[in-house]
Amino acid sequence: MKNFRTYKATAAACAMALAFGVTASTADAKTLRFTTQLPAKNFATQNVAKFGECIAAGSDIEIEIYDSAQLYRDKEVPQAVSSGAIDMGMTTTARFAGTIPAIEILNVPFVMGTRDDILAALAPGAKLRALLDEELTKTGARPIYWMDYGTVVFLSNSDKPIRKPEDVKGQKVRVFGKTLGDFVTALGGVPTLTSGSEQFLAFQRGTVDAGMTGIGSVKSRKLYEVIDIVTRTEHAKIEFIMLINDGVWNSLSEEEQTVVTECGLEAEADLRASIAAVEEDAVQDTLAQGREVIELTDAEREEWKAAAQPVIDAYLAKLADRKSTRLNSSHLKYL
């Protein structure tokens, strides 16, 4: 039997249930299995734990959390959830790029604008968010809430440090999405698509020379043991999505759906409010491990943006050609 954690209502959590106007019944709990590739101590997994506690407080639903890719790797989650092989799971937006091209806009380097711009575009009820949620639901994996995982950084080693775009040339770089891979290719590197749960070994074994990830993962996955340098290019946005099988969702009562939705909104807001502190904590932890964190100057950031322009142009052209797709380049006005 795989290890898992079940979150049940506590006395304090029961008080939260009253806020929803819901009282727990004496019926047997309904158990939903949830999968994530992230380790238990990762901030996003901990956010899911609180989400589970919130649900348990307001309903008879219990969430079993299978962390660290015990059941499914990141790339396997969409199919596992949509098919009903697992009730719930979280995965990056990059895993839907093939079926929902517009969602890949988050991984197009330097195109999303400021953090405030991103938050406005992805806020619950915002036009782009509503369109993306609708398209996601059509896959059979219904989004409950979006999970802020911060921005993308480069990881490298002291023998091949990455500070400028030309430093990527010739390096094998771990990526987690096609557009990020296109960026590496444009810079003269060799993209290697690698699951988050496998990147430590990829560095350790020399499968990759460098990589991209969220800086929070440097701490939670102890990547500082296999890399020397973090370069804060912050060239793309990482968002995970909490998903539930659509059939499972439809099997829930209206009251249960309300609790799950409200708990999701609360969990999403908590992550949005805390992600800056999470990233800063990861920076300080990386420095404490004796590793280097490179902060780009304005001039250096402009060099990176210029190097990314061919990728931006190619992405927009590809969207414009997808006339049969509901989500295309015209929807970028919602950014």
Side-chain angles (χ1 to χ4, degrees):
M1 178 69 176
K2 299 283 188 180
N3 292 328
F4 63 84
R5 294 174 293 151
T6 301
Y7 294 90
K8 300 181 179 180
T10 63
C14 286
M16 295 171 60
L18 298 178
F20 293 110
V22 178
T23 57
S25 73
T26 58
D28 290 339
K30 182 181 297 183
T31 301
L32 300 181
R33 298 190 309 152
F34 166 84
T35 182
T36 176
Q37 55 135 324
L38 298 172
K41 293 184 178 180
N42 183 278
F43 67 92
T45 308
Q46 292 171 352
N47 175 264
V48 174
K50 291 181 180 178
F51 170 66
E53 291 170 355
C54 178
I55 291 174
S59 72
D60 292 317
I61 299 173
E62 295 179 352
I63 308 296
E64 288 182 356
I65 298 181
Y66 293 81
D67 54 53
S68 305
Q70 293 180 66
L71 299 183
Y72 300 99
R73 292 177 293 174
D74 184 62
K75 66 181 181 180
E76 299 168 334
V77 172
Q79 175 61 26
V81 176
S82 64
S83 69
I86 189 79
D87 301 310
M88 302 171 66
M90 60 181 282
T91 188
T92 60
T93 57
R95 297 306 180 190
F96 289 96
T99 53
I100 309 174
I103 206 168
E104 186 73 345
I105 189 66
L106 295 168
N107 291 328
V108 179
F110 301 106
V111 81
M112 284 289 288
T114 66
R115 177 168 174 77
D116 286 344
D117 294 332
I118 296 170
L119 294 185
L122 297 180
K127 291 182 178 180
L128 182 65
R129 166 73 174 269
L131 284 165
L132 293 175
D133 281 349
E134 182 181 347
E135 293 300 312
L136 285 164
T137 300
K138 290 178 181 179
T139 70
R142 176 183 293 268
I144 300 174
Y145 70 98
W146 287 52
M147 308 177 71
D148 196 330
Y149 205 77
T151 52
V152 184
V153 299
F154 270 99
L155 309 181
S156 60
N157 283 298
S158 55
D159 59 335
K160 296 180 179 179
I162 292 178
R163 183 177 194 118
K164 296 184 177 182
E166 55 263 34
D167 296 331
V168 177
K169 187 174 183 180
Q171 295 212 48
K172 293 176 292 183
V173 183
R174 180 261 169 169
V175 297
F176 53 89
K178 183 182 183 305
T179 301
L180 293 175
D182 292 342
F183 186 34
V184 170
T185 300
L187 298 175
V190 180
T192 303
L193 189 63
T194 309
S195 174
S197 59
E198 298 172 341
Q199 59 182 319
F200 186 101
L201 286 177
F203 281 109
Q204 190 176 58
R205 294 171 176 172
T207 306
V208 297
D209 306 306
M212 296 183 192
T213 193
I215 195 167
S217 286
V218 177
K219 178 179 179 180
S220 67
R221 294 191 184 280
K222 299 184 178 180
L223 296 176
Y224 48 74
E225 294 182 2
V226 288
I227 61 96
D228 301 323
I229 301 169
V230 174
T231 306
R232 298 191 73 181
T233 46
E234 299 184 334
H235 53 281
K237 185 73 179 66
I238 305 177
E239 291 280 325
F240 280 79
I241 305 176
M242 166 65 74
L243 302 165
I244 186 169
N245 173 267
D246 203 41
V248 172
W249 173 261
N250 290 328
S251 74
L252 301 180
S253 68
E254 184 177 340
E255 292 78 9
E256 289 171 332
Q257 290 179 356
T258 297
V259 171
V260 172
T261 299
E262 293 297 327
C263 288
L265 290 172
E266 180 180 321
E268 179 171 338
D270 285 347
L271 263 184
R272 296 284 186 216
S274 64
I275 192 64
V278 167
E279 291 193 305
E280 181 57 28
D281 175 66
V283 167
Q284 295 306 316
D285 184 74
T286 302
L287 293 171
Q289 299 297 331
R291 302 299 183 255
E292 182 181 2
V293 177
I294 297 176
E295 302 282 356
L296 300 183
T297 65
D298 290 342
E300 287 171 333
R301 191 171 298 281
E302 288 305 314
E303 288 183 45
W304 281 97
K305 288 182 180 180
Q309 194 58 52
V311 182
I312 297 171
D313 293 342
Y315 174 78
L316 295 177
K318 180 171 65 176
L319 277 187
D321 287 341
R322 288 179 174 264
K323 299 184 185 302
S324 61
T325 303
R326 285 192 67 240
L327 287 171
N328 51 49
S329 57
S330 67
H331 293 99
L332 301 186
K333 65 186 178 183
Y334 297 132
L335 291 176

